[in-house]
Amino acid sequence: MDSSDSVRPNGRQRKPVGSADRGGRAGSAQSDLETEETTLLRDSGSGSEAGVDGLPIVPPSLKGELGNVLLLLFLYVLQGIPLGLAGSIPLIMQSKKVSYKDQAYFSLVFWPFSLKLLWAPLVDAVYVQKFGRRKSWLVPTQYLLGLFMLYLSATAESLLEGDGRHGPDVFAITALFFTLSFLAATQDIAVDGWALTMLSRENVGYASTCNSVGQTAGYFLGNVLFLALESADFCNKYLRMEPKDTGIVTLSDFLFFWAAVFMVTTTLVAMLKREDGQLQGGRSREETQGGRSLAETQGRRKSREETQGVRETYRQLLSIVRMPTVLTFCCLLLTAKVGFSAADAVTGLKLVEAGVPKEQLALLAVPMVPLQILLPLIISKYTAGPRPLDIFYRAFPFRLLMGLVYALLVWWTPSVKQEGGFPVYYYAVVLLIYAIHQVALYSMYVATMAFHAKVSDPMIGGTYMTLLNTVTNLGGNWPSTLALWLVDPLTTQECQGPSGLGCGSPTEAELCAQEGGVCVTSLDGYYVESVVCVVLGLCWWLWLGKRMRSLQDESPAAWKCRKTQ
């Protein structure tokens, strides 16, 4: 079972929900705005307290902003579609017997969401004012997403099939899906920024809800639903009266449909949705009296958007990284997940290799959704204090132990396989193991996010937290890519039959087959990695884990940086 620091299957990470992931949009203006709006809106529960200019303050409500909330939700759903599709491709390639080195190449597709901080300041600062600060990037990016999906609908299946001799064209597939992921990450930056001003200060908290629900729903559609509808076995068993050799939809059909959705909806957003000068609740300019909108009169204010320059943002990032405590913390974040890399990146692919249907593996994510919603709520009670990393430290060895449990699960799987598939109790065991793993995973995840919020300097909070979140995600991506890359070199195979032949390379394996032999795995590199990763993780926990825990003892001044000039 492929898992990571997210609710995503296949070891792919999702942006932390509710974090200030704004691509560098933060500064003293943001802090000042928080103070001003809090002063205007606090203690407004009864609606009778006087606000600015002696006018009553209306309690927070979605009235007049439901359309904006639904638009944000839909944009995040669109964002999740290419991520879900990218998450399904490794399972499809594994069923076509690609090498783990090829899987490592394709894992680079998931890096843009961990590196978007590098170009986020450009998205914030460069735009066409007449068209809109966020639409200047959102509209062309979504058009490009639609065009790339349209191109993939015509080429993806042939690329996955290959020429019949060399298998899938992994390089071309990786390049295309990397571009798709890069565009989705850019769209995420634009939508995150637009959310800050599309909603009033009273309702801006719904942005994180739209992010979580929308992106998860989009991923579900692009991954779980697609794999189920693409599977002939699943469709014949559950959805058809008469069996057929193919699923209800193909990859080309699915890509073409969503390409059309992207193109049509982007056109509607470009033509119908105003960004600059739009007043609260869709009211016209004629309803503004004396230079003050009706929304402001009712105490519902739009957030003022910061216009920080690119150079200033990069200077802030550099000033944050230069701080000794932050540099130490970043180094620890970049190495903390090495011990989990084999379990997170390889386990699901090994289960598919052992015969577990990829669509059944994807569907196991469905019953996990309620648990993944409840776990952060429960764990946050224990991470809300002054030492959230204590939970991280305590959960660490349990998650390492689950890596060994995953290895045992992979070893056990072939012996359970029956002629008609796998018994129900097998999937129950997999689900139970996955659920236990989620407890340890979310304990570490929530603790890390809580510590990020605790130490981030409020003067540049968005940039600060985005940097820490980016480093956290990158700390999960590079070990996963490396783990996939090393599976094949660590695997030992022997040629059974002809003497004097080996299976150390594709050429030797082909020669073995020509001589009537068969290559048999004598030592699977996955098991070697599983043990090595646990040992490395245990060493990290014993030495570096204590150093990470001690960072909580640093004074608040150690985490504050000077404002750049």
Side-chain angles (χ1 to χ4, degrees):
M1 180 88 45
D2 236 349
S3 306
S4 69
D5 291 32
S6 69
V7 299
R8 310 301 172 129
N10 307 328
R12 309 312 169 199
Q13 293 183 321
R14 181 174 65 181
K15 175 177 54 180
V17 177
S19 67
D21 191 3
R22 302 292 176 240
R25 291 175 292 276
S28 59
Q30 179 72 15
S31 179
D32 295 339
L33 179 60
E34 294 274 359
T35 303
E36 176 189 353
E37 296 297 336
T38 302
T39 302
L40 288 173
L41 300 173
R42 66 174 181 263
D43 301 329
S44 58
S46 65
S48 59
E49 183 179 348
V52 63
D53 299 332
L55 295 169
I57 297 176
V58 176
S61 172
L62 281 178
K63 184 179 180 181
E65 288 197 295
L66 183 59
N68 289 339
V69 170
L70 293 177
L71 175 59
L72 281 176
L73 180 64
F74 180 72
L75 291 175
Y76 281 120
V77 170
L78 290 182
Q79 182 187 123
I81 297 296
L83 296 179
L85 283 169
S88 67
I89 297 300
L91 298 179
I92 295 176
M93 292 198 303
Q94 191 67 14
S95 64
K96 299 180 182 298
K97 309 299 182 182
V98 302
S99 68
Y100 283 93
K101 184 175 290 187
D102 289 336
Q103 293 282 11
Y105 280 126
F106 189 82
S107 69
L108 297 175
V109 166
F110 304 98
W111 283 52
F113 266 81
S114 297
L115 298 174
K116 64 183 179 179
L117 182 63
L118 297 178
W119 68 91
L122 297 175
V123 178
D124 280 334
V126 180
Y127 57 93
V128 179
Q129 187 171 3
K130 290 184 179 180
F131 190 56
R133 182 176 184 179
R134 303 306 172 186
K135 286 171 62 177
S136 294
W137 288 90
L138 178 72
V139 171
T141 298
Q142 290 199 168
Y143 273 134
L144 287 173
L145 279 165
L147 290 173
F148 264 90
M149 285 186 172
L150 193 62
Y151 177 75
L152 279 169
S153 70
T155 60
E157 289 190 343
S158 61
L159 292 175
L160 284 170
E161 290 298 330
D163 57 7
R165 178 181 176 132
H166 299 292
D169 188 344
V170 176
F171 180 80
I173 295 170
T174 301
L176 289 169
F177 275 91
F178 183 91
T179 305
L180 208 65
S181 181
F182 174 82
L183 292 171
T186 305
Q187 188 255 26
D188 177 48
I189 298 168
V191 176
D192 281 352
W194 201 0
L196 294 178
T197 55
M198 186 183 294
L199 301 178
S200 65
R201 286 301 299 175
E202 297 92 328
N203 294 321
V204 75
Y206 286 101
S208 62
T209 304
C210 293
N211 183 325
S212 175
V213 176
Q215 201 180 76
T216 301
Y219 192 94
F220 178 87
L221 293 173
N223 186 276
V224 179
L225 183 64
F226 163 68
L227 288 174
L229 297 181
E230 185 263 351
S231 168
D233 292 338
F234 181 87
C235 293
N236 292 337
K237 186 175 182 180
Y238 298 107
L239 303 177
R240 286 183 176 140
M241 299 296 293
E242 297 181 3
K244 295 184 179 180
D245 295 332
T246 60
I248 293 177
V249 300
T250 64
L251 179 59
S252 294
D253 296 334
F254 197 82
L255 284 164
F256 183 84
F257 171 79
W258 284 107
V261 171
F262 267 89
M263 301 296 282
V264 172
T265 56
T266 302
T267 302
L268 293 176
V269 170
M271 296 175 59
L272 302 179
K273 180 62 179 176
R274 289 185 301 170
E275 180 180 348
D276 295 330
Q278 183 175 15
L279 299 179
Q280 179 69 19
R283 304 201 182 265
S284 65
R285 294 182 183 274
E286 287 74 21
E287 292 177 279
T288 303
Q289 301 294 332
R292 181 175 58 199
S293 69
L294 180 59
E296 287 178 322
T297 302
Q298 292 178 336
R300 299 170 55 118
R301 296 190 169 214
K302 288 283 189 177
S303 301
R304 292 197 305 267
E305 187 162 26
E306 185 186 357
T307 55
Q308 183 169 269
V310 177
R311 185 178 300 178
E312 173 69 14
T313 300
Y314 284 121
R315 274 207 299 255
Q316 283 187 350
L317 287 173
L318 187 59
S319 67
I320 295 171
V321 174
R322 283 178 173 175
M323 292 189 296
T325 50
V326 175
L327 184 59
T328 300
F329 188 46
C330 287
C331 291
L332 293 172
L333 290 175
L334 285 172
T335 56
K337 297 176 186 174
V338 171
F340 317 128
S341 56
D344 290 352
V346 188
T347 303
L349 301 178
K350 279 295 179 182
L351 291 178
V352 173
E353 183 181 326
V356 180
K358 59 184 181 299
E359 65 277 3
Q360 296 290 350
L361 199 60
L363 286 170
L364 290 178
V366 177
M368 287 293 102
V369 172
L371 180 65
Q372 290 160 347
I373 292 174
L374 292 175
L375 278 176
L377 299 176
I378 297 172
I379 298 169
S380 62
K381 297 179 181 179
Y382 301 96
T383 59
R387 302 183 61 83
L389 291 182
D390 288 352
I391 301 298
F392 177 97
Y393 185 79
R394 292 168 186 167
F396 197 98
F398 291 99
R399 188 172 172 188
L400 285 176
L401 178 62
M402 292 308 300
L404 294 178
V405 174
Y406 273 171
L408 289 174
L409 174 65
V410 172
W411 174 81
W412 178 58
T413 296
S415 64
V416 184
K417 188 177 181 181
Q418 301 173 353
E419 185 175 348
F422 290 86
V424 175
Y425 74 83
Y426 171 79
Y427 291 110
V429 171
V430 174
L431 198 62
L432 177 62
I433 293 174
Y434 188 25
I436 296 173
H437 177 266
Q438 292 291 291
V439 176
L441 185 152
Y442 269 92
S443 296
M444 296 177 59
Y445 170 77
V446 175
T448 305
M449 293 301 105
F451 188 70
H452 291 178
K454 177 178 178 290
V455 301
S456 293
D457 189 341
M459 293 297 290
I460 48 174
T463 304
Y464 208 129
M465 282 197 68
T466 302
L467 172 65
L468 296 180
N469 293 339
T470 297
V471 173
T472 300
N473 290 335
L474 188 59
N477 279 344
W478 78 262
S480 294
T481 297
L482 184 62
L484 288 167
W485 185 279
L486 291 175
V487 171
D488 288 335
L490 292 174
T491 298
T492 303
Q493 289 187 319
E494 298 176 348
C495 181
Q496 287 188 350
S499 61
L501 296 179
C503 295
S505 67
T507 303
E508 292 179 342
E510 186 176 351
L511 182 60
C512 175
Q514 289 175 355
E515 295 295 326
V518 58
C519 288
V520 177
T521 300
S522 56
L523 179 62
D524 195 325
Y526 167 69
Y527 299 117
V528 177
E529 278 193 2
S530 296
V531 174
V532 170
C533 284
V534 170
V535 172
L536 291 176
L538 189 60
C539 293
W540 189 98
W541 181 66
L542 291 174
W543 286 287
L544 297 181
K546 293 180 179 179
R547 177 70 183 98
M548 187 171 182
R549 195 178 184 184
S550 68
L551 289 175
Q552 299 174 114
D553 300 326
E554 298 285 347
S555 66
W559 299 95
K560 295 185 181 296
C561 63
R562 296 178 181 178
K563 182 176 173 59
T564 57
Q565 299 299 325

